[in-house]
Amino acid sequence: MKKNVMFLALAMSLPAVADDAGKLKAKLDAIAGLKADFQQQVTDINGKLIQQGSGELALAQPNRFYWHLQQPDESVIVADGKDVWIYNPFAEEVSVLALENAIAASPMTLLVRRDETSWARYNITLDKECFQIAPKTEEAGVQQVSVCFKDDTLTLLALKDTQGNLSQFNLSEQQPLTDSDKRLFQFEVPEGVSIDDQRPGQEG
């Protein structure tokens, strides 16, 4: 009898979970191209503030992502649709990774990806105006990503890593992408910067 009750409860929960994933897809489809400023706040497992910062992000489907943390320590991440470029100005180094290797393990990829294989890797549930995205395996470097909206406006991204640190990014000044904004997804290696090429078949 217990088995029947458990099976019934599971069967009833599956459509709701699938529907939550569909709702998130619909929200993201409505903002297929976005540029915004963000304020970053990082707290540790005890809730202690360990870092604050600010920057700019942009995203576009498919597989294009721009992340520029301007303060306190500048860093840039650009996904150009094929490769991911991670630039550290202080170290004067840029790492290049194949898109699949760089972001396949992170729930943040769902912001710009639509293939069913990627979405199948995560459990998605809706809690009020926030979608909670959790990887189904322990291979990912994060425990959970929260994607929050106010009506149809993306307002907050939050990421909890495996150490319990919580990074929150409050978005503001959201704007649709213009034609000139497409340059954000094209990374040019600055002169004098060393390249660590980690793509398959390449040498660093």
Side-chain angles (χ1 to χ4, degrees):
M1 182 67 178
K2 286 185 177 180
K3 289 184 178 180
N4 291 337
V5 172
M6 291 176 62
F7 178 80
L8 180 60
L10 177 62
M12 292 177 65
S13 67
L14 288 177
V17 172
D19 187 56
D20 287 346
K23 290 178 181 178
L24 177 56
K25 287 183 180 181
K27 289 278 191 182
L28 294 173
D29 285 341
I31 51 169
L34 170 72
K35 182 172 68 173
D37 296 330
F38 65 80
Q39 295 292 322
Q40 177 197 41
Q41 179 173 289
V42 184
T43 53
D44 66 14
I45 193 171
N46 298 313
K48 179 182 178 181
L49 180 66
I50 57 178
Q51 181 176 302
Q52 289 181 300
S54 61
E56 180 184 28
L57 71 85
L59 56 89
Q61 300 175 26
N63 302 330
R64 285 169 174 80
F65 187 78
Y66 171 82
W67 183 273
H68 185 186
L69 181 64
Q70 299 161 345
Q71 296 178 0
D73 300 311
E74 185 180 17
S75 62
V76 178
I77 302 174
V78 177
D80 61 14
K82 179 181 178 182
D83 300 313
V84 176
W85 304 78
I86 304 173
Y87 175 43
N88 185 332
F90 180 78
E92 296 186 331
E93 180 180 83
V94 60
S95 299
V96 194
L97 301 89
L99 181 70
E100 290 298 322
N101 295 338
I103 65 176
S106 173
M108 198 72 79
T109 67
L110 299 189
L111 295 175
V112 293
R113 303 190 72 165
R114 286 297 173 273
D115 59 285
E116 293 300 325
T117 300
S118 295
W119 281 75
R121 294 172 177 159
Y122 306 102
N123 291 314
I124 301 171
T125 56
L126 177 59
D127 181 12
K128 297 180 180 179
E129 293 189 305
C130 292
F131 292 88
Q132 310 298 340
I133 307 170
K136 294 180 178 179
T137 68
E138 296 181 357
E139 297 176 0
V142 297
Q143 291 184 22
Q144 183 172 279
V145 168
S146 300
V147 181
C148 302
F149 294 82
K150 184 176 182 180
D151 297 325
D152 292 326
T153 301
L154 182 62
T155 59
L156 174 72
L157 301 173
L159 185 152
K160 180 180 288 186
D161 66 22
T162 54
Q163 304 300 315
N165 298 320
L166 178 64
S167 300
Q168 297 186 78
F169 306 93
N170 288 283
L171 307 187
S172 62
E173 305 298 328
Q174 292 95 326
Q175 300 177 15
L177 291 178
T178 65
D179 288 339
S180 62
D181 290 328
K182 294 178 181 178
R183 60 180 174 77
L184 296 174
F185 308 114
Q186 301 170 357
F187 184 81
E188 295 185 7
V189 180
E191 186 176 351
V193 170
S194 62
I195 302 175
D196 177 19
D197 197 334
Q198 301 179 28
R199 292 172 294 184
Q202 303 290 329
E203 295 182 358

